[in-house]
């Protein structure tokens, strides 16, 4: 059985779910947040140490302002309401992405990270304004500026995921089979599962099934 240390999730399908059920994409984002809470619980139950959630990509700025504002409001309210609870559950929150938000949100993200920084049960990496190409470019530019050797180890040290092991398992919901600029370097040897369900419909049972399949997959890493 494979050990499972790190799960990464592309939480896709909120907009379609919202349109279908409530005639509003934003209603789908709201419903998707409930799935996030359920999946965090299940991750803890499975004793998984790292959970990385793709919440907003560097390309998602192309969306209408109304949707972007709604998403960041949702995040702000979630943190204000839940950070204490996350902290009590011994969960560490880390933002991976470039923190270029409103002053208020940047501050809230920073204090949420700081407050939970010593927690040890589960580390949640929230990918916010995250894009893999930009991350790699930033890392390589940083190395060249510092006149450090460009090698695998040094690149990894300069990624936003520094000190985080690579995901063992990537799940994308929403019936779409692509990576959308997510963790391109880090997913080199991850097992990938695409689920047809839209994120708000994805549940603990679906998650457990994937985990079970993952645990019984032979991982070769180029070997036989
Ligand atoms: C993913 O759901 C969540 C974010 C990108 C914030 P979408 O909003 O992409 O939902 P669909 O893919 O349009 O249904
Ligand atoms: C990926 O979903 C980003 C997040 C889940 C945050 P998108 O819905 O933005 O991806 P594309 O545009 O369909 O590739
Ligand atoms: Mg989408």
């Amino acid at each position: 059985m494979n050990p499972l240390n790190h799960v990464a999730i592309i939480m896709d399908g909120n907009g379609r779910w919202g349109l279908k059920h409530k005639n509003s994409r934003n209603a789908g984002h709201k419903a998707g947040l409930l799935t996030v809470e359920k999946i965090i619980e299940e991750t803890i139950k499975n004793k998984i140490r790292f959970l990385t959630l793709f919440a907003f990509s560097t390309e998602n700025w192309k969306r209408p302002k109304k949707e972007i504002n709604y998403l960041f409001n949702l995040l702000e309210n979630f943190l204000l309401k839940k950070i204490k609870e996350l902290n009590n559950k011994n969960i560490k929150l880390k933002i991976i992405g470039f923190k270029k938000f409103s002053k208020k949100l940047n501050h809230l993200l920073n204090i949420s990270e700081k407050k939970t920084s010593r927690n040890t049960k589960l580390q949640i990496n929230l990918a916010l304004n995250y894009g893999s190409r930009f991350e790699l470019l930033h890392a390589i530019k940083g190395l060249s500026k510092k006149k450090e050797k460009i090698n695998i180890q040094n690149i990894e040290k300069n990624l936003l995921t520094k000190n985080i092991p690579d995901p063992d398992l990537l799940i994308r919901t929403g019936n779409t089979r692509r990576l959308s600029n997510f963790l391109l370097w880090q997913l080199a040897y991850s097992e990938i599962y695409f689920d047809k369900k839209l994120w708000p419909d994805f549940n603990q049972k679906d998650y457990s099934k994937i985990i079970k399949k993952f645990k019984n997959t032979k991982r070769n890493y180029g070997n036989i």
Side-chain angles (χ1 to χ4, degrees):
M1 282 243 277
N2 296 317
L4 181 50
N5 200 30
H6 184 176
V7 178
I9 306 181
I10 302 176
M11 311 182 287
D12 196 24
N14 287 348
R16 277 165 285 164
W17 188 96
L19 283 178
K20 188 171 143 202
H21 294 276
K22 319 238 166 179
N23 202 23
S24 136
R25 290 184 51 86
N26 285 345
H29 293 308
K30 192 172 170 195
L33 203 51
L34 300 175
T35 305
V36 171
E37 294 193 57
K38 286 186 222 153
I39 293 308
I40 292 174
E41 284 309 310
E42 196 61 28
T43 304
I44 293 173
K45 267 194 206 149
N46 279 279
K47 300 192 169 61
I48 297 162
R49 283 277 293 112
F50 295 88
L51 174 66
T52 300
L53 300 173
F54 202 6
F56 195 86
S57 76
T58 45
E59 288 74 28
N60 287 146
W61 294 109
K62 292 176 192 162
R63 295 187 180 202
K65 246 213 150 89
K66 203 177 126 218
E67 180 166 339
I68 296 176
N69 288 341
Y70 186 87
L71 274 167
F72 285 113
N73 256 322
L74 207 60
L75 173 67
E76 223 170 273
N77 290 333
F78 177 80
L79 286 177
L80 286 171
K81 224 168 90 192
K82 298 279 177 173
I83 197 66
K84 206 168 160 190
E85 189 184 319
L86 294 180
N87 193 33
N88 289 339
K89 286 185 176 158
N90 198 10
I91 295 173
K92 173 176 172 173
L93 182 72
K94 173 154 176 63
I95 306 302
I96 55 168
F98 298 88
K99 286 199 198 103
K100 285 187 179 163
F101 311 110
S102 68
K103 233 182 175 170
K104 193 173 157 210
L105 181 58
N106 281 341
H107 179 68
L108 182 61
L109 293 171
N110 286 335
I111 55 171
S112 303
E113 283 186 298
K114 205 165 161 200
K115 196 179 166 95
T116 60
S117 64
R118 295 210 186 130
N119 292 341
T120 53
K121 184 164 237 152
L122 168 68
Q123 175 168 333
I124 297 178
N125 307 307
L126 195 61
L128 262 190
N129 191 21
Y130 174 86
S132 202
R133 287 183 171 173
F134 191 64
E135 175 192 35
L136 276 162
L137 194 67
H138 179 79
I140 294 165
K141 274 190 181 167
L143 285 178
S144 107
K145 212 171 176 181
K146 288 180 269 177
K147 297 207 163 44
E148 279 178 37
K149 204 169 164 196
I150 297 181
N151 58 26
I152 290 180
Q153 223 181 8
N154 282 343
I155 289 177
E156 288 184 340
K157 263 199 250 165
N158 283 271
L159 293 176
L160 297 165
T161 50
K162 178 184 167 194
N163 295 330
I164 300 170
D166 288 341
D168 299 294
L169 170 60
L170 171 77
I171 300 169
R172 180 174 187 143
T173 61
N175 201 17
T176 306
R177 293 169 174 245
R178 54 178 172 253
L179 295 179
S180 303
N181 201 14
F182 189 47
L183 301 174
L184 300 180
W185 174 285
Q186 297 87 338
L187 293 173
Y189 263 107
S190 308
E191 300 297 324
I192 302 183
Y193 289 82
F194 294 106
D195 200 287
K196 287 204 169 115
K197 281 196 180 177
L198 304 174
W199 178 248
D201 288 329
F202 190 73
N203 60 35
Q204 287 106 318
K205 226 170 145 185
D206 303 314
Y207 189 35
S208 300
K209 261 195 219 158
I210 294 174
I211 291 175
K212 202 169 160 199
K213 264 200 210 152
F214 162 84
K215 288 198 169 166
N216 292 302
T217 299
K218 186 166 171 276
R219 302 183 78 186
N220 290 343
Y221 300 100
N223 208 331
I224 52 169

